[in-house]
Amino acid sequence: MKITRSLTFKLILSYLFIILISFGFVSVFLEKNLKENTLQEIKSSLVTQASLISNQISIQSIVNEDIPQLEALLDQLRDKTACRITVVSSRGKVLADSEESLEKLPDMENHANRPEISDALAGKIGFAARYSLTLKENMFYVALPLKEDGRILGAVRLSLLLAQAEELFGTTRTAVLTGVLIALGLVFVFGAYFMARTIRPIKDMIRVSRKLSEGDLSHRILPASHDEIAELAVTLNIMAQRVEDKIREVDAHNQRLEAVFHSMVEGVVVVDKAGRILSVNPTIERIFGIDGKDVVGRSFLEAIRNNDIAEVVDSVLREGKSVSREVPLVLPVCKVFQINAAPVFDGNSINGCLAAIHDITDIKRLETMRSDFVANVSHELKTPLTIIKGFIETLLGGALEDPQNNRHFLMIMQGHVERLNTLVNDLLSLAYLESEESVFRRERIDLHQLAEATLADRQPQWQKRKLTISNELPSGLYVFADKDKLTQVFSNFIDNAIKFNKDNGRLAVSCEDLGSHIKVCVEDAGIGIPEKDLPRIYERFYRVDKARSRELGGTGLGLSIVKHIIERHQGSVGVESVEDLGSKFWFTLPKE
């Protein structure tokens, strides 16, 4: 408002100043011309009056210097002319004066040297303006010669106070000044009105522009005319619309980038050229257990306390080259990350760094598992194949004709072939369970009966070990599962409990109610499992006692197969064990 008000007053004052100067020049010109015209009119009027008076003056009174007669005539004319009338002889003697008495006439100076009298006695009309010592006033004089037959007998002079002319001039000047003031007042009123109409669209543009600067782009200016200001308003509206469209486009783009940024599996960190964090995504927050709002503005090493990652970021900021590196972390998490950091340029200068942190722990673990799997499979296959190959070479070398050993050799070869067959079958089962083509035929199963049947099938084995068997699963405990696969789970757990139990030991099958799931436990009183081996017990080919496992015919894949079967049933597996006291293997299944 201050801007528009100042502009309004500036425009009005400018107009007032121009008009005031214009009226000033006009007033000076008018006053000058009026003064000249007025003086001319006064001259003409006085000349006319003097001519009329001269016609009434008797020539004889002039020649005879009949002062009383002249005084009487002047007394009559004084009230009619409102001027001082003086009659002078040809020698300059004052014969009569309308403002002086007869007694004072002799004391009056000779007027022959007065300019106007001198001109009149010379036969011309005399004019003069000067200060009168007699009346103590500025006077204007007009003198006409008094003639008879071409002979100048004297002169008649009319005097007018210049104060009367000045009064007339003052009246005229006042009228002109009043007109100027009235004109200025009208200019101010109408100028303010028209300026307000002119400024109103500018005020609207200022108001809308202020809203636009505050981010509110919904306001528009309504043009009220078809002049340049309206064209400016239309231009501002177009600009505002384009800015609004651009901002919407940028917002949509930013939202897409923000969605990608926050949904990325990789952790992303953006730092400025000073190494201060500008932004982190939720993955970084989860990995390092930090709050993105708290770390923004802090140095990288202060927020994420890892020297290896900090060195990568510093290298990128220092050299301006992308860096890719594997970094193992111990704290706050024990994982392996792939760091890909690239510089952010502003022109030719490095303005920051963007680091993508990808968790490759599972990939590394899978690579290790694959490598171990290949090594284990190779080892498991190599041992029986080597033995079989050796016995074949022995038989071909002549042992085939040895009736005492050839059958024994064939039986050993048969055992290793069966072991290879079991290993291949387990590998195929595991591959089938991991494939998407595997199909489970689910049905309603009584766990008590399934455990009872599995124990009955292995009665010779546990009787041989003199084990105490107890099936503590309640009758009528049902789940919805694949019977063959669940039989395989029970068989594996019970076989292991028999193999690794102690003679005269105990084997118990029990359960726990976990609410939405049922936990089934197979517990033995065997040799137990060392604590360090518990986390890996369900890995492929992992054996606590490899020599004994092979002696007992294990392939090292049984528990891994069990884990896949249970997880495909939306359950979980686990183990609890104390060395030399026994083990408890368990699995959970959803209730029916």
Side-chain angles (χ1 to χ4, degrees), residues 339-537:
I339 311 298
N340 295 303
V344 178
F345 289 97
D346 183 6
N348 294 326
S349 61
I350 300 173
N351 198 37
C353 171
L354 186 146
I357 302 176
H358 182 55
D359 185 358
I360 59 172
T361 305
D362 290 339
I363 296 176
K364 285 292 183 181
R365 182 176 59 82
L366 290 175
E367 289 179 353
T368 302
M369 289 177 61
R370 182 177 61 184
S371 177
D372 291 345
F373 177 75
V374 172
N376 288 327
V377 168
S378 300
H379 182 73
E380 293 293 334
L381 292 175
K382 183 178 181 181
T383 301
L385 287 174
T386 301
I387 295 174
I388 293 172
K389 179 182 178 183
F391 279 111
I392 291 175
E393 291 175 350
T394 301
L395 290 172
L396 293 175
L400 185 62
E401 286 77 18
D402 184 359
Q404 294 181 354
N405 296 311
N406 56 8
R407 186 176 180 83
H408 175 67
F409 292 160
L410 290 173
M411 291 181 64
I412 294 174
M413 291 171 61
Q414 182 182 13
H416 284 287
V417 169
E418 290 178 354
R419 181 182 172 192
L420 284 174
N421 184 60
T422 303
L423 178 61
V424 170
N425 289 335
D426 285 349
L427 287 173
L428 291 174
S429 298
L430 190 60
Y432 176 75
L433 290 172
E434 290 178 343
S435 70
E436 296 180 357
E437 299 177 357
S438 59
V439 178
F440 283 20
R441 296 177 177 83
R442 300 174 185 264
E443 57 182 299
R444 195 166 183 260
I445 301 172
D446 187 330
L447 292 180
H448 176 81
Q449 293 181 1
L450 186 60
E452 194 69 30
T454 304
L455 289 170
D457 291 341
R458 277 123 182 104
Q459 184 173 357
Q461 289 93 329
W462 55 261
Q463 283 183 343
K464 182 178 180 181
R465 300 291 303 277
K466 299 179 181 180
L467 302 179
T468 302
I469 304 298
S470 62
N471 182 6
E472 300 174 6
L473 297 178
S475 298
L477 180 62
Y478 292 98
V479 294
F480 197 69
D482 187 305
K483 186 175 182 179
D484 292 338
K485 299 296 187 295
L486 204 55
T487 300
Q488 192 173 354
V489 171
F490 272 102
S491 297
N492 188 281
F493 277 3
I494 292 174
D495 284 343
N496 286 341
I498 295 173
K499 291 176 183 178
F500 298 102
N501 214 324
K502 296 177 181 178
D503 293 338
N504 301 312
R506 180 177 60 86
L507 190 157
V509 181
S510 61
C511 69
E512 296 180 27
D513 191 343
L514 301 180
S516 61
H517 286 66
I518 295 172
K519 181 178 180 180
V520 178
C521 304
V522 177
E523 187 175 1
D524 64 65
I527 59 177
I529 302 171
E531 185 177 357
K532 63 181 181 66
D533 294 314
L534 290 177
R536 303 186 60 187
I537 199 69

Side-chain angles (χ1 to χ4, degrees), residues 2-20 184 187-203 229:
K2 291 182 179 179
I3 297 176
T4 55
R5 188 175 301 167
S6 174
L7 179 59
T8 303
F9 280 115
K10 284 180 180 179
L11 290 173
I12 294 176
L13 290 177
S14 299
Y15 286 135
L16 290 177
F17 178 74
I18 294 172
I19 293 175
L20 184 61
L184 289 176
V187 168
F188 183 82
V189 173
F190 287 104
Y193 172 72
F194 288 111
M195 284 301 102
R197 292 192 61 183
T198 303
I199 295 297
R200 187 178 298 114
I202 298 178
K203 289 182 178 180
I229 294 179

Side-chain angles (χ1 to χ4, degrees), residues 549-564:
S549 296
R550 289 193 180 95
E551 289 177 3
L552 297 175
T555 63
L557 296 174
L559 290 178
S560 182
I561 293 173
V562 167
K563 180 181 179 182
H564 279 77

Side-chain angles (χ1 to χ4, degrees), residues 206-250:
I206 292 174
R207 176 180 56 80
V208 173
S209 299
R210 187 177 291 113
K211 292 291 185 181
L212 295 178
S213 67
E214 294 172 354
D216 187 356
L217 301 176
S218 61
H219 289 73
R220 295 292 183 271
I221 304 170
L222 299 178
S225 60
H226 300 283
D227 53 9
E228 289 80 359
I229 294 179
E231 186 176 353
L232 177 59
V234 172
T235 303
L236 285 175
N237 288 339
I238 295 173
M239 181 189 70
Q241 185 62 47
R242 289 180 178 175
V243 170
E244 185 176 9
D245 293 341
K246 287 293 182 182
I247 289 178
R248 286 177 179 173
E249 183 179 344
V250 171

Side-chain angles (χ1 to χ4, degrees), residues 148-173:
E148 183 181 17
D149 299 330
R151 185 168 61 92
I152 297 175
L153 301 177
V156 60
R157 186 185 71 177
L158 271 66
S159 304
L160 182 66
L161 290 173
L162 283 178
Q164 296 177 346
E166 291 294 335
E167 183 179 353
L168 179 60
F169 297 152
T171 302
T172 305
R173 190 182 297 111

Side-chain angles (χ1 to χ4, degrees), residues 236-296:
L236 285 175
N237 288 339
I238 295 173
M239 181 189 70
Q241 185 62 47
R242 289 180 178 175
V243 170
E244 185 176 9
D245 293 341
K246 287 293 182 182
I247 289 178
R248 286 177 179 173
E249 183 179 344
V250 171
D251 286 342
H253 183 66
N254 288 339
Q255 288 177 3
R256 289 193 294 269
L257 290 179
E258 193 76 12
V260 172
F261 184 71
H262 284 82
S263 61
M264 289 179 65
V265 176
E266 294 83 1
V268 179
V269 182
V270 182
V271 300
D272 61 14
K273 59 184 177 182
R276 292 186 296 268
I277 292 180
L278 297 178
S279 180
V280 298
N281 69 344
T283 305
I284 289 291
E285 296 179 1
R286 289 194 299 270
I287 291 175
F288 296 100
I290 59 176
D291 188 344
K293 297 179 181 178
D294 295 336
V295 300
V296 171

